[in-house]
Amino acid sequence: MRSELLQMLLDHQGNFVSGEAISQHLGCSRTAVWKHIEELRKAGYKLEAAPRKGYRIIHQPNLLTENEIKAGLKTNYIGKHVVYEKSVSSTQEIAHRLAREKVAEGTIVVADEQVGGKGRLGRAWFSPIGTGIWMSMILKPKIPPQRAPQLTLLAAVAVIRGIHAATGLHCDIKWPNDILLKGKKLVGILTEMQADPDQIHSVIIGIGINVNQKNFPDEIKEIATSLSLEKGEDVNRALVMQSIMAEFEQLYELFLKDGFLPIKQMWEAHATTIGRRITARTVSGAIEGFAKGITEDGVLLLEDDFGTIHKIYSADIDF
Ligand code: BTX
């Protein structure tokens, strides 16, 4: 109910909404409206109350709790159930537990801070409090487990489109799944799965987005950036998250209906790695050549100077 109230006040940005209109819309008493208004105030909203006029929002804090995420969310099932935590080790861990408890598809776990944020291959993801979007999405696609990596690529396209819709900023993808803004890492995506050899139970897509950080620890300060560093102002995390979830749901529906091909084409159109000369540093050495594209599994196809096509499964890429 509180997210509906918030939605109503936000829809009337700056203008008063009467207590009567709110209580009718929410189907609750004027006293209950007043209690919800007090709760919003406690959460950091500045709300003006005027006799015979009602309530209006004067200041909206940059929060990412269930209320902010749901108010204005335009999806059918992605993000309809939100589990918000102030501080966690990793949202992936909570999502894994919820997935085992059989929560609805599209459930999102989001935290204000992760103290044990996970990257790929055992690496850490720096997730300081109140600055970024640290979220895990639970999906239950009826596809064979081998196709699950395609969802990482789908998520990358959704994130790029969502960020563009919310902020106007253009990001690129660097194979396999780094999302870069002006050459620096803005987003990390980690896909994990619960499956039998022939059946997926859940896919858990972890997305970490640097939104309002002004600085980074020494280890990553040369390679990382945030949306606010590029925009020169703070960015509303809930709006970015809603926009990404809306893009994700559309692309996911397309993927389930028409398969991976349309997603692959969108991914390639955003990937700086494709269509240029690159060096792929693999564990067995460096290969130089022309990046032709990706396969259905997201494997990079690299043509060397002798015309041999190499399938690159894992590598660091230099341009
Ligand atoms: P990755 O392995 O591609 O990236 C990890 C590497 O990126 C680190 O080794 C470090 O060099 C650098 N790095 C760490 N933190 C940041 C940061 N905030 N910004 C830029 N660079 C950084 C990418 O792994 C996958 C990350 C997924 C994170 C999400 S957050 C929600 C969910 N929960 C969770 O524990 N992980 C996922």
Side-chain angles (χ1 to χ4, degrees):
M1 196 175 276
R2 208 161 296 143
S3 64
E4 270 183 64
L5 166 60
L6 188 54
Q7 174 68 63
M8 216 178 161
L9 294 168
L10 290 174
D11 284 346
H12 292 80
Q13 272 297 353
N15 295 319
F16 283 100
V17 189
S18 73
E20 180 62 32
I22 298 173
S23 77
Q24 270 181 17
H25 183 76
L26 300 183
C28 66
S29 69
R30 300 283 291 268
T31 321
V33 170
W34 179 81
K35 277 191 187 149
H36 288 305
I37 292 278
E38 284 309 299
E39 287 302 321
L40 286 177
R41 282 191 172 127
K42 273 191 211 145
Y45 286 85
K46 287 210 178 83
L47 297 157
E48 187 182 347
R52 285 185 302 280
K53 285 183 173 171
Y55 303 95
R56 69 172 173 175
I57 288 192
I58 296 174
H59 168 76
Q60 191 187 357
N62 201 336
L63 299 175
L64 205 55
T65 66
E66 192 180 345
N67 289 330
E68 284 73 29
I69 295 166
K70 285 191 171 170
L73 181 65
K74 293 183 183 64
T75 57
N76 291 319
Y77 54 93
I78 302 288
K80 284 286 158 183
H81 181 202
V82 174
V83 176
Y84 163 79
E85 301 282 348
K86 185 121 192 91
S87 178
V88 295
S89 176
S90 155
T91 55
Q92 290 293 97
E93 287 164 15
I94 297 175
H96 272 289
R97 177 168 51 74
L98 292 173
R100 278 192 292 273
E101 290 166 5
K102 308 213 180 326
V103 286
E105 174 162 66
T107 297
I108 301 275
V109 181
V110 59
D112 236 0
E113 172 187 48
Q114 294 186 120
V115 291
K118 296 200 289 179
R120 289 172 301 145
L121 310 166
R123 294 189 284 241
W125 185 256
F126 176 63
S127 321
I129 190 151
T131 54
I133 298 172
W134 324 124
M135 64 181 266
S136 297
M137 193 185 314
I138 301 172
L139 300 173
K140 298 173 184 265
K142 292 193 173 46
I143 54 170
Q146 313 80 270
R147 287 188 58 200
Q150 296 175 342
L151 289 168
T152 306
L153 307 184
L154 188 155
V157 177
V159 167
I160 285 195
R161 290 164 68 119
I163 287 177
H164 181 249
T167 66
L169 292 171
H170 288 280
C171 308
D172 307 301
I173 307 174
K174 184 178 171 197
W175 184 88
N177 68 349
D178 280 355
I179 294 185
L180 308 180
L181 183 54
K182 303 230 175 102
K184 292 188 167 185
K185 194 153 164 166
L186 179 78
V187 179
I189 302 174
L190 169 70
T191 302
E192 296 177 312
M193 150 166 90
Q194 294 176 7
D196 293 332
D198 58 351
Q199 193 196 357
I200 289 180
H201 299 302
S202 308
V203 175
I204 294 159
I205 302 185
I207 302 175
I209 307 173
N210 300 324
V211 182
N212 288 325
Q213 288 101 315
K214 303 292 179 287
N215 43 51
F216 290 93
D218 284 350
E219 312 92 88
I220 58 169
K221 70 171 187 236
E222 301 298 329
I223 59 159
T225 191
S226 70
L227 291 173
S228 79
L229 282 175
E230 285 307 323
K231 292 266 323 167
E233 61 188 14
D234 270 6
V235 172
N236 184 306
R237 290 180 296 161
L239 287 183
V240 174
M241 201 170 151
Q242 288 167 347
S243 177
I244 290 171
M245 290 193 287
E247 294 289 343
F248 190 96
E249 189 172 284
Q250 272 188 21
L251 294 175
Y252 185 55
E253 288 294 311
L254 180 69
F255 170 80
L256 295 176
K257 189 162 90 25
D258 292 347
F260 182 55
L261 189 64
I263 309 296
K264 178 174 174 286
Q265 287 164 345
M266 287 182 228
W267 188 94
E268 285 175 341
H270 287 296
T272 46
T273 328
I274 307 302
R276 64 195 283 186
R277 219 179 148 72
I278 61 164
T279 305
R281 301 188 192 286
T282 71
V283 278
S284 43
I287 309 171
E288 244 188 87
F290 181 75
K292 288 183 78 74
I294 53 167
T295 65
E296 287 275 303
D297 318 315
V299 174
L300 181 65
L301 297 172
L302 185 62
E303 183 174 4
D304 69 17
D305 295 342
F306 306 101
T308 307
I309 309 273
H310 298 263
K311 280 186 159 183
I312 310 291
Y313 291 90
S314 170
D316 285 323
I317 305 296
D318 292 332
F319 300 126

